[in-house]
Amino acid sequence: MASSTTVDAHDRPRGLGRFLFSTNHKDIGTLYIIVALIGGLVGFLMSIAIRAELTHPGITIFPGLAQLLHGVDPAMALDAGKDLYNVFITVHGVIMIFFFVMPALIGGFANWFIPIMIGAPDMAFPRLNLVSLWLLVGSLVLAVLSLFVEGAPGMHGFSGGWTFYPPLSANLGSPGPAMDFVILALHLLGASSILGSINFIATIFNMRAPGMTLHKMPLFAWAILVTAFLLVITLPVLAGCITMLLTDRNFGTSFYDPAGGGDPLLFQHLFWFFGHPEVYILILPSFGIISHVVSTFSKKPVFGYLGMAYAMVAIGFIGSIVWAHHMFIVGMSLNAQRYFMFATMVVAVPTGIKIFSWIATMWGGSISFRAPMIWAMGFIFVFTMGGVTGVVLANASADRQLHETQYLVAHFHYTMSLGAVFAIFTAVYYWFPKMTGYLYNETLSKVHFALLFIGINLTFFPQHFLGLAGMPRRYIDYPDAFELWNVWSSIGAYISAVSVIIFFYVIIDAFVRRRAAGANPWGVGATTLEWTLSSPPPFHQFQTLPRITGSGHQ
Amino acid sequence: MANGHAKPDHDYHIVEPSPWPLIGAVGALFTAIGAILWMKGLPIAGIKIGSAVFGVGLFGILFTMYGWWADVVNEAEYQGHHTPVVRLHHRYGMILFIVSEVMFFVAWFWAYFNSSIFPADPAQVMRLGLFQGVWPPQGIEVLNPWHLPLLNTVILLTSGATVTWAHHGLLRNDRGVLKKGLLLTIALGLLFTSIQAYEFAHAPFAFKGSIYGSTFFMATGFHGLHVIIGTIFLIVCLLRAQRGQFKPEQHLGFEFAAWYWHFVDVVWLFLFSCIYVWGTWGGTFE
């Protein structure tokens, strides 16, 4: 992105090799953002297909889609369409988590801004940084290949949901190679994320500018530090979990097969030991970004800096010991259910600290409602919504009714699809001028916000009603009684689609018009180190390390 | 370096662009695709090329490891890029890598305890029927921990001592002790692997078909793989020592090989006590 600037153009490697072999954190971050854009767009188109199918009762879209994508025989199209629908919900989840939110927030923005924010010239291990990126791309290739090989007998792609529970993912449910492609995609992706996390931890611990103690470090760096620790600790367990699935499928072991004394629930425990921290991995970087944006545009330091930092540590820690709340209905002992229920509710305490501290940061501040601030406020609203329904779902008793319903879908989309995605757009609009040196059209970006905010709330709020009324998730069809709210939900999705088009227009428009942003377009509130550099920053920043005096953080 | 003319005013290592990450990642992709084609016996254009694709990919990964780490060794030994702060980066990196490896083994132990602690769980109807409510399962002959496994424990613990001996030699700049200690450690590592291979080949139960064999071979097999990796790491250290590399005050490669070796050692102690001793208590020995 930073192609047309001047400061040190003679210093940087030229041509394709600049990106293929890059050891520069900003170039690698840009590549990650490109991966995230592709992933996000594909995942979004899938969700539009899902909403189009669910608009009215009956199976309308996917049989045709199966014929189009896989050349299925028309006589088989109905069954193939049903399976393809489940492939879509599976792959939509996998792509949005691993190829959109994570590459955007961690690989993209953290890669770009963690070294700059802590006053370092680059990451601790620049080559490791690059191998993380290329392993992720390799993983994406495997995931895409899985769509075109056999999964369930006679079907294309793995259709058992992003949680890969056996026996759906074992030879019983999915004997074809699609699931093996998915497993190895997860292996590459896990290696990528573990290496990237090691890189972030070493960088944050070891490369802070002179004078920047941990307690003066920007909150985004704290967020990424906690996130990276969660990844290093939980991803290897997922690797072990899916390796056992691989040997069950291909070498006749019985880890998840009761016929040999194994236990399918073992998979669920191992999976959620990773899978639950994963949701905090997705949202903690967002917390960091929102803190900076709220502080910048309120022209006040973050309220309760240390509380904010340690709230994230607490969320990371507690979030790692609550995994079985995803398994309330599998027949766990009541004592285990009680523990996981209360532990889960405890997460609401540090999360509440964050929400109230953001509000307290705005309180009495001189707020300027620039685009990133509007997005950040949108984030606080939707994430609080998702958090509140999370407390509802944490009740093992309520979960008896709500498990695997659209209520759950609404809940995690309010935290992820609205929360994490709003944070990504916040970060885009906050840092775009810094990354490219150009200003974007702020009015249009606010239109983008308004449409997405309306669209996405219209999509997901009615799903609470549908779930409470008993509509299950992961079904291609539903009884007529659920039609009303499904229609509204789909209209919301189409409104969101319009907003995505506006987003791309805003970005292209900014590159075409080339309005210079200057070093700091946000004024006195923007106090972190990236605003002391030119826009875009030099290819290698901080040849002389900055010295941090005073309180340092914001 | 592109900015070689403007010497930065800090001790960090601004790394030059490198082809290895891309080559390694492409290698990993080929390995994965090859593994699937091979395992599933899938032909491409009528020919079963899975093992060949797997081999090409694996070669790419090994080639990357050689080239990448040769670059690192050169930067450390001859180009002076490993300033104290950069060495600290590497220490953090290695510690975190070992942490992730520990968590990898947590998965195997989790799987093992999930069935070994609850052989009589009434909810696990099939397991209860198969195992008759005991662990080791009824009808499975197990390995006697006080024979070869105990010998292997002694061997690995001794190798932990010899690698420390080599380290002391290196710190005192006694190159003879360094090389002798490394050689001994490598020999003990190879001995361990050979005994383990013999025991695997003669085990009275199989990887397939029963959770007992599955958890046993998965945990001890991955440990064995790590012993082999650690042995290769030590062999590289020996070769480097023979080339006159490593200084008493700077020898990260050796340190990390030793850390890794101790990690492998500790994992074995858990395997020995939990799977070999506790897990065979009251069982029928072969």
Side-chain angles (χ1 to χ4, degrees):
Chain A
M1 281 190 180
S3 57
S4 68
T5 36
T6 51
V7 188
D8 57 351
H10 57 287
D11 268 351
R12 65 181 59 147
R14 285 198 176 74
L16 202 56
R18 172 179 169 192
F19 287 104
L20 291 180
F21 308 138
S22 177
T23 46
N24 182 288
H25 72 101
K26 294 188 286 291
D27 282 356
I28 297 172
T30 302
L31 290 173
Y32 261 112
I33 289 173
I34 292 169
V35 172
L37 269 179
I38 296 167
L41 204 56
V42 173
F44 180 70
L45 289 176
M46 288 181 144
S47 70
I48 292 294
I50 292 167
R51 277 321 316 168
E53 177 62 63
L54 291 180
T55 311
H56 300 288
I59 300 172
T60 49
I61 307 284
F62 276 81
L65 210 53
Q67 290 179 28
L68 199 69
L69 279 177
H70 299 306
V72 179
D73 181 50
M76 285 286 296
L78 185 62
D79 279 347
K82 288 176 187 168
D83 193 73
L84 186 66
Y85 174 82
N86 283 349
V87 170
F88 265 49
I89 57 157
T90 305
V91 177
H92 166 74
V94 169
I95 283 191
M96 285 305 200
I97 293 166
F98 297 110
F99 299 106
F100 174 47
V101 175
M102 285 173 78
L105 288 175
I106 305 173
F109 290 115
N111 225 330
W112 250 91
F113 288 106
I114 289 297
I116 299 180
M117 280 181 152
I118 63 173
D122 207 303
M123 296 283 284
F125 305 113
R127 277 173 294 216
L128 209 57
N129 202 2
L130 183 62
V131 85
S132 301
L133 169 82
W134 289 129
L135 283 173
L136 185 77
V137 174
S139 167
L140 184 58
V141 172
L142 288 174
V144 170
L145 282 177
S146 85
L147 296 175
F148 299 98
V149 294
E150 191 184 35
M155 305 294 176
H156 297 273
F158 176 65
S159 53
W162 85 279
T163 49
F164 319 116
Y165 287 175
L168 283 176
S169 58
N171 281 336
L172 200 61
S174 197
M179 187 62 208
D180 300 284
F181 275 100
V182 174
I183 290 173
L184 289 171
L186 287 174
H187 273 119
L188 290 198
L189 186 142
S192 155
S193 287
I194 290 170
L195 296 176
S197 304
I198 289 175
N199 209 346
F200 275 119
I201 297 172
T203 306
I204 292 171
F205 274 164
N206 213 21
M207 294 181 78
R208 279 170 285 117
M212 183 181 281
T213 59
L214 277 177
H215 282 181
K216 291 181 182 178
M217 182 168 80
L219 282 171
F220 186 49
W222 269 103
I224 294 297
L225 185 65
V226 177
T227 306
F229 266 107
L230 288 179
L231 281 164
V232 167
I233 286 170
T234 61
L235 262 174
V237 177
L238 175 75
C241 169
I242 55 177
T243 303
M244 288 186 265
L245 186 61
L246 193 71
T247 60
D248 268 15
R249 293 171 54 82
N250 294 294
F251 301 104
T253 54
S254 14
F255 292 104
Y256 309 127
D257 181 7
D263 181 3
L265 289 187
L266 168 65
F267 182 94
Q268 299 192 14
H269 278 293
L270 289 169
F271 180 84
W272 286 114
F273 182 80
F274 151 79
H276 194 72
E278 173 67 21
V279 307
Y280 297 104
I281 289 160
L282 296 173
I283 205 65
L284 282 171
S286 309
F287 287 172
I289 291 164
I290 297 303
S291 297
H292 289 293
V293 171
V294 168
S295 156
T296 296
F297 295 99
S298 305
K299 302 186 186 68
K300 272 176 69 189
V302 162
F303 177 87
Y305 165 82
L306 275 184
M308 289 294 256
Y310 283 96
M312 287 191 283
V313 176
I315 290 170
F317 176 75
I318 303 167
S320 300
I321 50 173
V322 298
W323 69 89
H325 64 217
H326 295 269
M327 303 163 55
F328 279 142
I329 60 164
V330 302
M332 277 192 304
S333 77
L334 284 175
N335 278 331
Q337 293 186 42
R338 275 182 201 111
Y339 161 73
F340 282 109
M341 169 175 142
F342 288 123
T344 304
M345 290 182 173
V346 170
V347 182
V349 175
T351 312
I353 291 175
K354 299 208 70 76
I355 303 277
F356 287 118
S357 294
W358 286 322
I359 294 171
T361 305
M362 289 186 253
W363 194 271
S366 168
I367 304 179
S368 55
F369 292 98
R370 307 289 295 270
M373 183 63 176
I374 304 266
W375 281 93
M377 290 163 68
F379 169 92
I380 295 170
F381 174 77
V382 292
F383 188 79
T384 306
M385 277 290 308
V388 169
T389 52
V391 176
V392 173
L393 284 165
N395 286 279
S397 46
D399 192 64
R400 294 283 190 285
Q401 165 72 10
L402 298 173
H403 197 91
E404 288 284 291
T405 63
Q406 291 290 115
Y407 188 90
L408 175 76
V409 174
H411 156 68
F412 72 73
H413 279 94
Y414 261 94
T415 56
M416 300 288 121
S417 161
L418 292 79
V421 169
F422 272 50
I424 289 170
F425 283 124
T426 307
V428 167
Y429 287 126
Y430 186 53
W431 280 320
F432 182 86
K434 176 54 62 186
M435 295 165 77
T436 62
Y438 304 135
L439 290 171
Y440 51 84
N441 182 332
E442 251 193 277
T443 312
L444 270 183
S445 69
K446 286 175 186 170
V447 174
H448 172 204
F449 169 81
L451 281 177
L452 191 68
F453 189 80
I454 294 167
I456 222 157
N457 276 296
L458 191 57
T459 307
F460 292 109
F461 204 85
Q463 295 188 5
H464 291 117
F465 310 148
L466 290 169
L468 285 167
M471 179 177 165
R473 69 195 278 222
R474 293 176 170 160
Y475 280 77
I476 192 169
D477 201 1
Y478 54 84
D480 294 350
F482 298 132
E483 186 174 9
L484 172 67
W485 294 121
N486 270 304
V487 170
W488 282 109
S489 184
S490 294
I491 292 172
Y494 303 144
I495 295 176
S496 309
V498 176
S499 85
V500 170
I501 295 168
I502 293 177
F503 167 66
F504 280 101
Y505 179 81
V506 170
I507 297 300
I508 294 166
D509 173 74
F511 278 109
V512 170
R513 291 186 193 256
R514 298 173 174 247
R515 284 161 301 209
N520 179 2
W522 307 131
V524 289
T527 55
T528 39
L529 284 170
E530 74 266 34
W531 306 110
T532 64
L533 298 172
S534 59
S535 299
F539 193 61
H540 292 296
Q541 74 274 357
F542 299 135
Q543 299 288 41
T544 301
L545 300 179
R547 290 199 167 272
I548 310 301
T549 50
S551 67
H553 62 78
Q554 45 162 288
Chain B
M1 183 66 225
N3 67 340
H5 51 90
K7 184 91 181 91
D9 182 23
H10 57 68
D11 286 342
Y12 300 123
H13 178 196
I14 301 299
V15 180
E16 289 183 44
S18 166
W20 300 119
L22 182 59
I23 299 173
V26 172
L29 179 61
F30 272 70
T31 312
I33 294 174
I36 295 167
L37 296 178
W38 195 9
M39 288 186 299
K40 296 284 178 200
L42 295 173
I44 291 215
I47 319 163
K48 289 191 178 176
I49 53 165
S51 54
V53 176
F54 180 82
V56 169
L58 195 62
F59 175 77
I61 294 176
L62 295 175
F63 182 58
T64 300
M65 286 175 162
Y66 175 80
W68 187 333
W69 282 325
D71 282 357
V72 174
V73 168
N74 280 328
E75 287 157 6
E77 287 281 340
Y78 308 115
Q79 297 168 10
H81 284 306
H82 280 201
T83 57
V85 69
V86 173
R87 275 180 262 163
L88 195 56
H89 288 349
H90 284 82
R91 288 205 171 83
Y92 275 121
M94 191 66 195
I95 290 169
L96 289 163
F97 175 68
I98 290 177
V99 167
S100 77
E101 289 272 53
V102 168
M103 294 309 294
F104 193 53
F105 276 93
V106 164
W108 315 137
F109 278 101
W110 194 327
Y112 169 70
F113 285 121
N114 186 67
S115 50
S116 64
I117 296 181
F118 309 107
D121 182 353
Q124 300 287 345
V125 179
M126 295 189 84
R127 184 192 294 158
L128 191 61
L130 282 170
F131 294 0
Q132 301 295 315
V134 290
W135 188 276
Q138 200 80 170
I140 285 190
E141 280 188 20
V142 292
L143 296 166
N144 187 339
W146 308 114
H147 291 167
L148 290 178
L150 178 65
L151 177 64
N152 260 347
T153 308
V154 174
I155 289 170
L156 262 198
L157 287 177
T158 312
S159 74
T162 54
V163 80
T164 307
W165 184 48
H167 196 184
H168 279 267
L170 174 53
L171 291 173
R172 281 183 282 110
N173 211 12
D174 185 339
R175 310 290 293 186
V177 166
L178 168 63
K179 287 173 205 165
K180 266 184 274 178
L182 275 173
L183 202 59
L184 256 177
T185 314
I186 292 163
L188 289 167
L190 292 174
L191 186 61
F192 176 93
T193 305
S194 314
I195 292 176
Q196 199 68 343
Y198 173 86
E199 184 139 271
F200 273 25
H202 292 85
F205 47 84
F207 190 33
K208 291 182 177 199
S210 159
I211 190 73
Y212 185 85
S214 297
T215 51
F216 176 89
F217 281 112
M218 191 61 114
T220 56
F222 261 98
H223 174 261
L225 180 67
H226 282 75
V227 171
I228 293 169
I229 293 167
T231 310
I232 295 170
F233 203 167
L234 289 166
I235 291 171
V236 171
C237 286
L238 182 61
L239 294 174
R240 289 186 62 195
Q242 256 147 4
R243 287 194 186 180
Q245 298 180 357
F246 299 134
K247 296 187 272 291
E249 68 282 355
Q250 185 188 342
H251 47 266
L252 286 179
F254 179 91
E255 254 180 75
F256 294 167
W259 288 358
Y260 196 79
W261 197 247
H262 289 308
F263 150 69
V264 167
D265 204 355
V266 170
V267 170
W268 174 260
L269 291 179
F270 278 98
L271 288 172
F272 181 69
S273 50
C274 299
I275 296 187
Y276 284 94
V277 178
W278 177 77
T280 61
W281 208 266
T284 324
F285 295 132
E286 51 165 340

